[in-house]
Amino acid sequence: MIASVWGMARNDLAVWLRSPAAIAAALLPALGMGILVAVLTNSVGQQPVALVTQSKGRLGARMGKILEADAEAYLIEEMTASEAERAIGDQRVAAIIVVPENFDEAVAGRKAVVDLYLNNVDIDLADDIRRSVARSIAEFDAPQLGLLGELHGPSEGILLPNPYRVAVAEHNMRATNVSFLQYQVIPIVVLVIVSIGLLGTALLTARDFERGTAKLMILSPAGRLPLVVGRSLGGSLITIALVAPLVGLGFVTHYIPYCADTSGAPRWVTILFSAPCAWTLSVPFWSHAVALIALLAAVTLTTVGMGILLGIAVRDEKLVTMIGLNAAVYLFFLGGGFTTVAFLPEWIQTASRFVPTSYAIEGLRQALFYPDLVGFGTDLAVLSACAVLSLALASGMLARAWRKG
Amino acid sequence: MIWTRAFFASATLELAHLKSNRAFVALTALAAVSFLVMVRLFGLTGSRAPMALINDDRGTYSQGLIDALLAAHHSFALKNMSEEDAAKALGAGRLVGIIKIPAGFSKNVERGKTIPIDVQIDNVNVDLTNDVQRALPAAILAFGHRYNFPGARVQVAEHDVLSHDTNYIPYLVVSALALDAMVIAGILGALATAREFERKTIKLLRLSPASTGAVLAGKLIVAAAVAGTALAITVLAIVLIYGVVPVAPWMALLTLGGCVAIFTCFGAWLGVQLQRTLAAVPLLFGLVMPLYVDSGALEPTRFDGEWIWRIAHLSPIYYAVGVLEWAYHGIRVTPEPVYVDLLALAAMALVSVALTLGRLRKRGAQ
């Protein structure tokens, strides 16, 4: 039996290696998503803004400094009024902030105004700028409403009175923030596994039916279980071979030139070199590392099992490709790709409970970003159950399909 | 052979092929709808971070603060919770944070005291954390101005470039139309040409006296018509489900038609290059998402930086999104005028046709 299993797995590996189109079919969409995340990383958070400081007074200069200091919110550039007008027309900036000439006098009369000229092309972008400008304005009269004040003011027992009569004592749950890219790379890794495991194995199975080699298999003395197990092993091995370097690289990107955020290289160079494996995370504690490996293995087996099922059910390479790609898109998004499922409407959350990748993504995020492994047992149990069920079903369907010729 | 006869014969044959591949065509259309649904999912998490609200004060001012938080630029989806439930939900990653208004808040505010509100944030995602950190002072600023507390000296005077804000999902779904056009038309175009290589009929094509241009035109016109029909379903979904109606319907129609034509030609060229449907389909899937994001689909591309904007000019989706956002919402997302975007789209279609024709002739000669 072991010889049959290994023979089948080895054969599948050889077919994979001779099929660059199949490898491309499995990898390209996932890599596309990776690049997309990298580009998204560049576009979230900071918005290009022109600052026009017309005031020559001390308070006007202070207002300008507060705005300029919020580098986390804006990519700010000082301009004259006419330059700023040209820039907003050419879409080089999304907004113009004007500290008017009479700012100091107006502050003395408690009627000062900072003008915001906003390209409100969509609400997401416009709201980002509105929030940021409002924070800077609040900071003028209430310095503790700035980011530093939120983090190290009342939460550390230092409370300064302010005219708005409310301060923020912010307590962050973790010592380090996870970047948007790090957070989103996890679903990308799961997408790579889905693409290779599901699509790749489905293509191999469909190919056996299209070329008639399935009939030869049934005539062999190996039996159906070793063939299904062998195909699973082959699919799993090729998935592991392609995913392991990606995951491994993710942990060493700190040390690869031009990959880390802190490398000093231009942003686009960092994105180009690091996507889609820019985890730049520290190696986790051993219990979290074990959880990580277990989850990756379970999701690999699940997708391979699903791939065999799909291949047996459809038996046409073109259709398998289209169904596999569609399935990968749903498994990715409903599993939590680009989104946090818990923040979506109730009915989507319910639908997501039936999507195995949601357990994989949730479990992997717990293993990498959270101090406790909350829900890890459930995640692993669901994924393992899905793997066993899909392989058992595949074995049954394969026997039935071959019996019918 | 007369050009028109070859054209119609080729079109009829292509239609017969597509009829026998109904499932493939249906799955291609499904992929387009899938992208639309997924883009909507992405849009749903762009705002209104779920935050637990624990209000231990029942006074006027605490309600005023809650109103200010709710009005803070679509930042929070506040959920009234007990302290225990909130802590549990935060630990399980179902909340971005917890805002706690302490007992005696209103009384102390009335007396002119500054009261700290406790805010716990699950700072696992820096984007959401930033939104919350910026929205809290914005809400407090609005709260202070609402009650005219003495001492507040500066306000924001906002002057919007456009008369109204465009909601994020209507903005996203319109740009997704260009993405859909690329998926459907690109795949069907690729299928039309790659099939000739897969079935080895390219040699027969080359040997026949029929014009290659007529044969290609016949194939592509059918592929484009089928793609256009599938795209029409998506357009209808956008109108009926999201209520997004173009302000310039003819321009929208013209652009979508243009997109279908361009992407069918582009797909055909890809099919000739790769000679296998199985290679062309995933390549199109892989290309489509990065091209989509780098095309002004989420916000005007130039706001993402000059180099990203320059690269975007290579993508037809950039020009298509530029025209579509203008036609649907009356907004400009490219610095170039709309007619320049249209001209660029037309030029790209012509280049694709020329390249495909040239490639078909060259390959056929081998």
Side-chain angles (χ1 to χ4, degrees), chain B residues 106-194:
Chain B
S106 292
K107 270 186 193 165
N108 283 309
V109 168
E110 182 79 56
R111 286 178 197 145
K113 284 187 179 173
T114 298
I115 308 300
I117 51 166
D118 263 323
V119 179
Q120 272 190 69
I121 299 182
D122 180 357
N123 54 324
V124 70
N125 180 339
V126 79
D127 185 42
L128 286 171
T129 307
N130 283 344
D131 278 359
V132 172
Q133 285 170 337
R134 290 169 197 168
L136 285 167
I140 291 169
L141 181 80
F143 171 77
H145 283 301
R146 177 181 166 180
Y147 292 106
N148 285 320
F149 293 143
R153 297 174 294 174
V154 190
Q155 289 198 52
V156 186
E158 185 178 322
H159 316 274
D160 291 338
V161 170
L162 300 162
S163 59
H164 67 282
D165 283 358
T166 303
N167 279 328
Y168 201 34
I169 289 177
Y171 182 92
L172 288 176
V173 292
V174 167
S175 56
L177 281 177
L179 170 88
D180 284 351
M182 184 166 178
V183 172
I184 308 172
I187 290 177
L188 293 183
L191 181 70
T193 49

Side-chain angles (χ1 to χ4, degrees), chain A residues 65-344:
Chain A
K65 285 232 160 59
I66 290 172
L67 287 159
E68 279 179 300
D70 200 351
E72 194 197 348
Y74 321 106
L75 287 166
I76 217 157
E77 200 178 330
E78 268 218 71
M79 294 184 189
T80 63
S82 55
E83 283 171 345
E85 261 179 59
R86 267 199 306 278
I88 202 166
D90 293 344
Q91 295 180 357
R92 278 184 286 122
V93 295
I96 305 171
I97 304 171
V98 181
V99 183
E101 212 170 342
N102 65 343
F103 186 81
D104 283 41
E105 298 85 64
V107 167
R110 303 188 188 285
K111 285 180 185 165
V113 160
V114 168
D115 289 300
L116 169 67
Y117 296 88
L118 177 64
N119 184 351
N120 53 325
V121 69
D122 77 55
I123 210 163
D124 185 57
L125 168 96
D127 280 349
D128 265 358
I129 295 173
R130 286 173 182 137
R131 286 183 205 117
S132 304
V133 174
R135 176 168 77 177
S136 302
I137 302 293
E139 205 179 335
F140 183 83
D141 282 323
Q144 278 200 330
L145 290 180
L147 182 60
L148 280 176
E150 276 187 53
L151 289 170
H152 306 293
S155 56
E156 292 179 7
I158 307 157
L159 176 64
L160 303 175
N162 77 55
Y164 305 106
R165 303 186 186 176
V166 183
V168 177
E170 183 179 325
H171 308 275
N172 285 336
M173 270 177 72
R174 38 199 110 242
T176 54
N177 284 352
V178 176
S179 76
F180 184 78
L181 183 56
Q182 288 166 337
Y183 195 72
Q184 297 300 353
V185 157
I186 287 178
I188 297 287
V189 170
V190 172
L191 180 67
V192 174
I193 296 173
V194 170
S195 299
I196 303 166
L198 190 147
L199 192 56
T201 319
L203 276 170
L204 281 174
T205 311
R207 186 189 165 111
D208 278 336
F209 283 97
E210 276 196 337
R211 299 190 175 188
T213 42
K215 281 185 184 169
L216 298 178
M217 285 178 185
I218 198 169
L219 291 174
S220 82
R224 68 174 195 253
L225 191 64
L227 293 179
V228 172
V229 175
R231 172 130 301 160
S232 314
L233 181 64
S236 301
L237 285 177
I238 193 76
T239 309
I240 291 164
L242 290 171
V243 173
L246 187 72
V247 176
L249 266 175
F251 287 106
V252 294
T253 36
H254 281 301
Y255 312 104
I256 301 175
Y258 308 118
C259 277
D261 269 346
T262 49
S263 66
R267 184 94 178 127
W268 68 272
V269 175
T270 312
I271 287 172
L272 192 73
F273 276 76
S274 56
C277 55
W279 300 32
T280 53
L281 288 176
S282 313
V283 177
F285 189 62
W286 72 266
S287 57
H288 284 57
V290 170
L292 183 76
I293 292 167
L295 284 164
L296 288 174
V299 72
T300 300
L301 273 173
T302 303
T303 54
V304 165
M306 286 163 69
I308 300 176
L309 271 177
L310 179 65
I312 296 170
V314 179
R315 304 178 198 183
D316 177 307
E317 280 186 278
K318 276 183 197 161
L319 287 184
V320 155
T321 306
M322 283 310 298
I323 295 174
L325 288 171
N326 272 299
V329 170
Y330 280 101
L331 287 170
F332 175 73
F333 279 97
L334 287 179
F338 295 157
T339 59
T340 304
V341 176
F343 301 168
L344 291 171

Side-chain angles (χ1 to χ4, degrees), chain B:
Chain B
M1 191 184 275
I2 303 167
W3 197 93
T4 47
R5 194 187 290 175
F7 169 81
F8 283 115
S10 169
T12 313
L13 183 63
E14 184 61 27
L15 194 61
H17 276 310
L18 288 181
K19 272 186 183 168
S20 66
N21 279 306
R22 277 194 211 104
F24 185 86
V25 175
L27 285 166
T28 307
L30 177 69
V33 178
S34 306
F35 276 126
L36 191 69
V37 174
M38 300 316 154
V39 159
R40 182 175 181 267
L41 281 190
F42 174 70
L44 280 176
T45 46
S47 57
R48 299 207 182 277
M51 299 280 288
L53 177 72
I54 302 166
N55 186 5
D56 291 339
D57 179 90
R58 297 289 161 202
T60 324
Y61 286 111
S62 63
Q63 191 51 50
L65 182 64
I66 293 168
D67 291 343
L69 288 167
L70 288 170
H73 314 303
H74 312 95
S75 303
F76 304 114
L78 295 178
K79 299 176 179 188
N80 282 305
M81 282 184 169
S82 69
E83 201 153 353
E84 196 184 332
D85 288 348
K88 214 181 280 176
L90 188 68
R94 290 200 301 274
L95 290 173
V96 174
I98 303 171
I99 299 174
K100 188 177 176 186
I101 303 177
F105 176 85
S106 292
K107 270 186 193 165
N108 283 309
V109 168
E110 182 79 56
R111 286 178 197 145
K113 284 187 179 173
T114 298
I115 308 300
I117 51 166
D118 263 323
V119 179
Q120 272 190 69
I121 299 182
D122 180 357
N123 54 324
V124 70
N125 180 339
V126 79
D127 185 42
L128 286 171
T129 307
N130 283 344
D131 278 359
V132 172
Q133 285 170 337
R134 290 169 197 168
L136 285 167
I140 291 169
L141 181 80
F143 171 77
H145 283 301
R146 177 181 166 180
Y147 292 106
N148 285 320
F149 293 143
R153 297 174 294 174
V154 190
Q155 289 198 52
V156 186
E158 185 178 322
H159 316 274
D160 291 338
V161 170
L162 300 162
S163 59
H164 67 282
D165 283 358
T166 303
N167 279 328
Y168 201 34
I169 289 177
Y171 182 92
L172 288 176
V173 292
V174 167
S175 56
L177 281 177
L179 170 88
D180 284 351
M182 184 166 178
V183 172
I184 308 172
I187 290 177
L188 293 183
L191 181 70
T193 49
R195 194 193 298 118
E196 301 297 335
F197 293 92
E198 284 169 345
R199 299 187 175 191
K200 317 272 185 214
T201 45
I202 186 72
K203 285 183 182 168
L204 300 179
L205 230 172
R206 179 72 185 111
L207 290 171
S208 89
S211 146
T212 316
V215 173
L216 184 67
K219 286 167 124 352
L220 296 191
I221 208 94
V222 170
V226 174
T229 312
L231 191 63
I233 298 169
T234 321
V235 172
L236 267 180
I238 286 177
V239 174
L240 297 176
I241 299 170
Y242 304 111
V244 179
V245 181
V247 293
W250 288 109
M251 183 60 93
L253 212 62
L254 181 73
T255 312
L256 288 173
C259 283
V260 168
I262 293 162
F263 295 129
T264 309
C265 297
F266 175 72
W269 174 73
L270 210 61
V272 174
Q273 288 293 329
L274 301 172
Q275 302 178 17
R276 285 197 66 194
T277 316
L278 273 184
V281 172
L283 181 62
L284 270 162
F285 261 79
L287 274 176
V288 85
M289 288 308 274
L291 283 181
Y292 171 69
V293 170
D294 188 19
S295 67
L298 310 178
E299 63 184 25
T301 317
R302 205 167 190 183
F303 296 165
D304 298 337
E306 286 294 302
W307 68 271
I308 287 183
W309 176 65
R310 285 196 193 115
I311 293 171
H313 283 80
L314 299 172
S315 158
I317 300 185
Y318 169 80
Y319 304 100
V321 169
V323 186
L324 284 173
E325 291 291 358
W326 182 82
Y328 269 86
H329 299 303
I331 52 180
R332 275 185 57 201
V333 297
T334 62
E336 297 86 6
V338 174
Y339 75 86
V340 172
D341 291 338
L342 273 172
L343 284 174
L345 282 173
M348 285 183 168
L350 287 176
V351 170
S352 296
V353 171
L355 284 174
T356 311
L357 269 175
R359 202 70 184 153
L360 266 181
R361 287 186 179 128
K362 190 177 161 192
R363 287 278 171 187
Q366 283 172 357

